[in-house]
Amino acid sequence: MLGGSSRIAGFGHAVPARRIDNAEIEARLGLETGWIERRTGIRSRHWAEDGETLSGLAAAAGKMALEDAEIARDEIALTLLATSTPDHLLPPSAPLVAHRLGLEKSGAIDLAGACSGFLYALTLADGFVRTHGRAVLVVAANILSRRINLAERASAVLFADAAGAVVLVPDRDRQRGLLSADLTSDGGGYDLIHIPAGGSNRPFSTGIGAEEFLMTMRDGREVFSRAVALMTGASARALDQAGIASADIDRFIPHQANARMFDAVSGNLDIDPARVVRTIETFGNSSAATIPLSLSVANGAKRFAKGETLLLTAAGAGLTGGAVVFRM
């Protein structure tokens, strides 16, 4: 419906079967029992086994979302995959995900937005739906266990593998769907979280150590403070654009980076802790996948009601971030 709005018609998520509890990581790193949970809120996470692929995980989440939406495959006009860990540097993984799902009439493209990738993809999908009146599948997925240095405490305790997905469809009701979005970046923090080698700046070559192809976090405290400020500011601006007070948010779904981080953001915004959706305890930090995974898990526990207003926010490497106000 040209000039209308969009709505989320289906939710999905998927995680590998292998669960890694904190005790395993604490023993390997020589940390005392309970250290990880006290500092991050994480109790367990899922890591892929050999042979499991990013495209397979993304397709599993997409399949669940399509079935939840009860939509025909030929109605999906575009597939957006937010990921930092594609199957290959080239080609993009989204066409393979669409093919696995039988979306033969869908365009497909990867988006590299780090932890905020889902918010960027959702915003772009909403624009496509409004402009073309066609449905979009948005998937965010990562296999971060293959990109972290297991000997580096800052990243080894946090990151996980998961996928989340939503189906966005046209809607006539302009009072629901994406009400506002504030997308932001801060290139001054470009190298706070990064993989030093493997890109065109430092391509694969002899003489580069294997650890340089793994994720590293330069200053965890600075990442924390800048991410909290970015998410707080973007959320406040998105709420202002939508003309909505934080007290009117029914559920707050932040990027599940660190429980202390999103607790600080919800406190800054004066959002009741009871309205914060938390999945970090069980699923850890899967970067862009955490928000759609959390949406799917929350919807499964208590289905979103018509008219519920959600606030989504994220910040991550780049630095990139943003916030979205979405009404169901």
Side-chain angles (χ1 to χ4, degrees):
M1 176 60 63
L2 300 184
S5 185
S6 69
R7 64 180 175 87
I8 297 177
F11 301 87
H13 69 280
V15 297
R18 181 188 175 202
R19 191 182 82 174
I20 305 296
D21 293 323
N22 286 346
E24 180 177 334
I25 298 174
E26 288 168 342
R28 184 173 60 245
L29 295 177
L31 301 172
E32 65 182 72
T33 300
W35 189 94
I36 295 175
E37 185 176 358
R38 287 196 301 273
R39 286 162 175 77
T40 68
I42 298 170
R43 297 174 183 168
S44 63
R45 76 287 290 142
H46 292 255
W47 285 355
E49 299 276 15
D50 291 344
E52 291 185 282
T53 64
L54 183 283
S55 56
L57 191 63
K63 181 175 184 290
M64 180 179 174
L66 290 166
E67 291 176 351
D68 187 46
E70 299 181 340
I71 190 171
R73 297 296 199 268
D74 62 4
E75 291 186 45
I76 302 296
L78 180 63
T79 299
L80 299 178
L81 174 62
T83 185
S84 300
T85 59
D87 283 346
H88 302 92
L89 291 178
L90 189 74
S93 296
L96 180 57
V97 173
H99 175 70
R100 289 186 174 200
L101 292 171
L103 306 180
E104 304 304 335
K105 295 184 178 180
S106 172
I109 191 170
D110 290 6
L111 296 173
C115 297
S116 59
F118 175 74
L119 295 185
Y120 279 76
L122 182 67
T123 303
L124 293 172
D126 174 75
F128 184 93
V129 172
R130 290 172 187 261
T131 301
H132 299 283
R134 305 283 305 282
V136 178
L137 173 65
V138 181
V139 185
N142 281 297
I143 295 184
L144 293 169
S145 62
R146 296 176 186 161
R147 282 295 196 176
I148 57 177
N149 185 342
L150 296 178
E152 183 188 73
R153 186 178 66 186
S155 58
V157 304
L158 286 173
F159 293 109
D161 305 341
V166 299
V167 174
L168 213 62
V169 300
D171 194 273
R172 296 177 181 272
D173 187 352
R174 289 176 174 269
Q175 299 305 309
R176 64 179 177 183
L178 196 151
L179 302 184
S180 67
D182 185 272
L183 303 177
T184 186
S185 67
D186 177 7
Y190 183 76
D191 64 347
L192 285 171
I193 305 171
H194 73 302
I195 297 174
S200 60
N201 189 41
R202 295 195 66 199
F204 295 99
S205 64
T206 58
I208 298 179
E211 70 280 355
E212 294 195 58
F213 296 99
L214 301 175
M215 186 189 311
T216 184
M217 188 180 301
R218 180 165 59 83
D219 187 334
R221 290 184 178 179
E222 185 173 357
V223 169
F224 184 97
S225 63
R226 291 174 76 152
V228 168
L230 189 153
M231 288 191 285
T232 300
S235 296
R237 290 189 295 272
L239 288 167
D240 184 62
Q241 290 169 26
I244 292 173
S246 60
D248 296 324
I249 293 298
D250 295 294
R251 294 194 232 184
F252 176 46
I253 300 96
H255 166 45
Q256 307 283 304
N258 179 309
R260 292 188 300 120
M261 184 181 291
F262 60 71
D263 284 344
V265 175
S266 62
N268 290 344
L269 297 170
D270 198 26
I271 293 176
D272 183 347
R275 298 185 180 186
V276 180
V277 173
R278 305 169 64 98
T279 59
I280 193 169
E281 291 91 342
T282 305
F283 298 106
N285 178 356
S286 54
S287 187
T290 69
I291 291 179
L293 178 146
S294 296
L295 285 167
S296 181
V297 170
N299 186 64
K302 181 184 177 183
R303 198 155 187 92
F304 291 112
K306 182 178 180 180
E308 273 197 67
T309 304
L310 314 179
L311 174 63
L312 322 176
T313 189
L319 297 170
T320 64
V324 164
V325 176
F326 200 98
R327 180 166 291 148
M328 303 301 293

